[in-house]
Amino acid sequence: MTQSHAKTPNPPRPRIAVVGYGSQGRAHALNLRESGFEVTVGLRPGGPTEAKAQADGFTVKTPAEAVAGAELVAVLTPDMVQPRLYREAIEPYLAKGACLLFAHGFNVHYGQIAPRADLDVVLVAPKGPGALVRREFEIGRGVPCVYAVQQDTSGRAEQLALAYAAGLGGARANVIKTTFKEETETDLFGEQAVLCGGATKLVQAGWETLVEAGYQPEVAYYECLHELKLIVDLLYEGGITRMHEFISETAQYGDLTRGPYVIDAHARAQMKKILAEIQDGTFARQWIAEYAAGNPNYKALKQADLDHPIEATGRKLRAAMSWIGADGNVQPARPAAPRPTAEAAAA
């Protein structure tokens, strides 16, 4: 299942409708167009992203109109929006034998969307946020992708998925075959236990521990949040091996002997609990019910995160970092000003 594909010979070039123009939707649409695909964007008229898609030069239609003229429909709206969108604006207008593509398997895997039997159903999931998918493509690189085939009615569903992944730039890095089940469950687990839930709660707990012990909040911020990027960059570039090459022996000894204090048998048991609740559908049912109720718990928990005192400390410190823009994006490096010559200095 972990076979890798660099490219597809004579890849198909279906007419594509990208439904949704958020972080992933915009990146997919732009990359695919620049890879030679005919792309139409399907959006709700008057919605917040319609003007952005038009400014990027796309033909923008209603979702139903975009779907009707497409051979491949990429559903790139938020997970909780997709079931109703599929029922009302995609399925009734999708041509027989067309290909339905998702970037996350949540709704198909958990039975919220049951695609028609005559359709090809595939998944192409870049392993990174949309802004990174776009940025890496623009500089000639790519974000690795996983892909899966749920239904292959035409006999060329895998070719379509691989062509789409290549169009995103994924073939420049790596494309690995998976299943809807594996992509969905591993993606949710990674978000909850490590990348988002695990990392942010670890950072907050570390900062709180230092501040409660009397250390300056600013120093604690640098140690527990700011420097995390330096370690993550090393892990990204060369795994744990590279990290050990570039941190001190003292840091290495502390890592090896004290890391297990934090990620101990209890933490591992909690990770297994998280995974079990993903596998048996508990998390999906809770999230679907929460969304249907108007997200009261979600909103309260998110606001508590935004109100955490580490955020106030961080805003103050980042304001002094001239390379970070007001929107939080890192600005391109500027070349250093040339030093004056001896003659100019004398003058």
Side-chain angles (χ1 to χ4, degrees), residues 211-232:
V211 172
E212 288 168 6
Y215 299 102
Q216 296 180 70
E218 295 81 4
V219 174
Y221 177 90
Y222 284 135
E223 289 299 331
C224 295
L225 190 152
H226 179 81
E227 289 194 45
L228 183 62
K229 180 186 185 305
L230 309 179
I231 300 302
V232 170

Side-chain angles (χ1 to χ4, degrees), residues 10 29 47 53 56 75 120 175 179 185 225-226 250 268 274-275 300 304 335:
N10 303 315
D56 286 336
V75 185
D120 286 341
V175 181
T179 63
E185 294 177 355
L225 190 152
H226 179 81
T250 302
R268 289 175 180 272
I274 289 172
L275 182 57

Side-chain angles (χ1 to χ4, degrees), residues 45-249:
T49 55
E50 181 182 36
K52 182 183 291 187
Q54 290 172 336
D56 286 336
F58 286 103
T59 298
V60 180
K61 300 181 178 180
T62 66
E65 291 169 339
V67 166
E71 297 169 291
L72 184 152
V73 174
V75 185
L76 301 176
T77 57
D79 290 333
M80 293 298 103
V81 173
Q82 290 181 14
R84 181 177 177 181
L85 178 72
Y86 179 75
R87 292 192 304 270
E88 297 181 358
I90 295 179
E91 185 176 48
Y93 305 96
L94 196 55
K96 184 176 181 180
C99 182
L100 188 62
L101 181 144
F102 297 89
H104 181 38
F106 186 98
N107 283 303
V108 172
H109 179 57
Y110 291 117
Q112 300 305 295
I113 293 177
R116 291 190 336 232
D118 65 276
L119 302 172
D120 286 341
V121 182
V122 302
L123 175 148
V124 175
K127 292 291 94 183
L132 183 65
V133 173
R134 180 60 182 159
R135 186 164 67 246
E136 290 292 287
F137 183 90
E138 288 181 300
I139 61 177
R141 300 193 302 226
V143 170
C145 294
V146 298
Y147 79 97
V149 177
Q150 183 79 359
Q151 291 179 188
D152 184 10
T153 303
S154 70
R156 62 173 195 152
E158 184 168 23
Q159 286 183 306
L160 289 168
L162 288 170
Y164 188 99
L168 295 184
R172 299 173 182 175
N174 198 14
V175 181
I176 296 176
K177 190 172 186 178
T178 184
T179 63
F180 271 65
K181 171 181 167 63
E182 183 176 65
E183 186 279 333
T184 302
E185 294 177 355
T186 57
D187 185 77
L188 293 174
F189 176 82
E191 292 168 351
Q192 295 172 23
V194 181
L195 305 176
C196 303
T200 57
K201 295 310 175 190
L202 182 65
V203 165
Q204 289 174 344
W207 184 86
E208 290 167 0
T209 299
L210 288 177
V211 172
E212 288 168 6
Y215 299 102
Q216 296 180 70
E218 295 81 4
V219 174
Y221 177 90
Y222 284 135
E223 289 299 331
C224 295
L225 190 152
H226 179 81
E227 289 194 45
L228 183 62
K229 180 186 185 305
L230 309 179
I231 300 302
V232 170
D233 284 349
L234 293 173
L235 294 171
Y236 177 84
E237 292 163 5
I240 295 171
T241 299
R242 184 167 176 82
M243 185 201 72
H244 279 298
E245 290 173 357
F246 283 85
I247 63 175
S248 70
E249 288 184 335

Side-chain angles (χ1 to χ4, degrees), residues 277-288:
E277 291 184 351
I278 291 168
Q279 291 172 326
D280 68 14
T282 298
F283 170 77
R285 289 190 295 272
Q286 288 178 349
W287 175 217
I288 292 166

